[in-house]
Amino acid sequence: MPLRAMLPLPLLLAALAVAAAAAGAPRPHPLDPLSAAELTAVRAAVLASPLVPARPLTFHYVGLDEPDKPDVLSYAYGGGGGASRHALPRRAFVIARAGGESHELRVDVANASSPSVLSHAVHRGAGFPTLTLEEQFAAVALPPKHPPFVESVRRRGVDMDDVLCAVFPVGWFGGDGEPRRSRVAKVLCFVAGATANFYARPLEGVTLVVDLDRMAIVGYRDRVAYPVPKAEGTDYRAGKAGPPYAGPAPAPGVVVQPEGRGFHIDGHVVR
């Protein structure tokens, strides 16, 4: 049955307009970041893949697996046009952590409705994935429950409610032997209290080491008990800072472009 017979004329015209717009719309640039639909597809493909059966699995990085530069230049400046410009692969690069190992995967998302894992490898060299917010929150919750740390805070005359901790990667600096196999982080703590600038008030001499896979304190050291710096004069917030930062506000500046802006934004492309 003809489409005209199935749809009222206004709906028919609207459908034809949408189809024409879709046909004439430019395809995404090969360096465009992954869309929300593509990110969802990547997650589903990795979790469904038998290549990484261990659980829990955490995603530490998901980003575009960029095509080779000559292919991108050919896409952008090639004169062929047509289907040749649409042949570049659309892939995601994933770094995940599962089973005490760092996994690197490449996922085909050319069709977000049917993604597939193209390759998988376990990273054996130096270095570990970036810290996730979830594991940082879990790590900083450990010190207040660690009896030696509680005693260190007490000896310094500090209220535990004023103590804040932060997680820092320990790094690997080369040298002889194999790279570090356990994924650990250093935890340093500070005292907030009456100031927001808690970095100016460290718990000097106290260092904790946390195994992020086991989420447990595996090292503790309190080498020296220095007094905690006072909070007075350390706050940098407006209305809290003293001279010379508490004077009148400077006059506002103005940027003028009489002939209009000198750039153009088209999607994710800036010219």
Side-chain angles (χ1 to χ4, degrees):
M1 181 180 296
L3 182 63
R4 187 183 301 272
M6 292 189 296
L7 294 175
L9 183 58
L11 292 180
L12 173 62
L13 295 176
L16 292 175
V18 170
R27 291 178 64 87
H29 190 279
L31 297 182
D32 279 353
L34 298 175
S35 66
E38 289 172 329
L39 290 171
T40 301
V42 169
R43 180 181 184 277
V46 171
L47 292 178
S49 174
L51 297 173
V52 190
R55 293 294 184 274
L57 182 148
T58 56
F59 291 86
H60 292 258
Y61 176 82
V62 180
L64 179 68
D65 185 27
E66 297 182 2
D68 292 336
K69 188 171 183 178
D71 294 335
V72 175
L73 293 176
S74 176
Y75 174 95
Y77 303 110
S84 63
R85 295 194 62 196
H86 303 158
L88 292 186
R90 183 75 175 167
R91 297 186 299 248
F93 178 63
V94 178
I95 299 176
R97 187 82 179 164
E101 295 181 314
S102 301
H103 302 265
E104 299 178 348
L105 305 97
R106 284 176 169 80
V107 181
D108 182 2
V109 290
N111 184 353
S113 62
S114 58
S116 61
V117 176
L118 299 175
S119 66
H120 165 259
V122 175
H123 179 70
R124 301 295 186 187
F128 292 97
T130 56
L131 302 170
T132 66
L133 286 176
E134 290 79 7
E135 62 191 3
Q136 290 184 67
F137 291 147
V140 299
L142 297 175
K145 305 173 185 177
H146 191 57
F149 179 77
V150 174
E151 175 61 19
S152 295
V153 172
R154 187 198 65 78
R155 287 196 300 114
R156 287 164 172 78
V158 174
D159 188 340
M160 184 66 77
D161 290 338
D162 292 334
V163 175
L164 302 173
C165 298
V167 183
F168 301 87
V170 296
W172 181 73
F173 304 98
D176 298 332
E178 289 292 317
R180 185 188 300 275
R181 292 303 178 192
S182 57
R183 185 166 177 259
V184 296
K186 179 172 65 175
V187 176
L188 300 178
C189 298
F190 309 85
V191 182
T195 178
N197 189 11
F198 55 86
Y199 285 118
R201 308 185 70 207
L203 277 179
E204 202 71 65
V206 177
T207 304
L208 302 95
V209 179
V210 173
D211 186 313
L212 295 172
D213 290 324
R214 294 163 48 196
M215 201 50 68
I217 295 174
V218 295
Y220 184 79
R221 187 181 183 191
D222 185 352
R223 57 183 177 82
V224 61
Y226 288 122
V228 177
K230 296 180 180 180
E232 289 77 16
T234 64
D235 205 322
Y236 50 79
R237 292 175 294 179
K240 300 287 186 178
Y245 307 105
V254 178
V255 176
V256 179
Q257 292 179 291
E259 298 181 8
R261 63 186 185 183
F263 62 91
H264 177 70
I265 301 176
D266 181 13
H268 296 284
V269 177
V270 180
R271 293 182 175 86

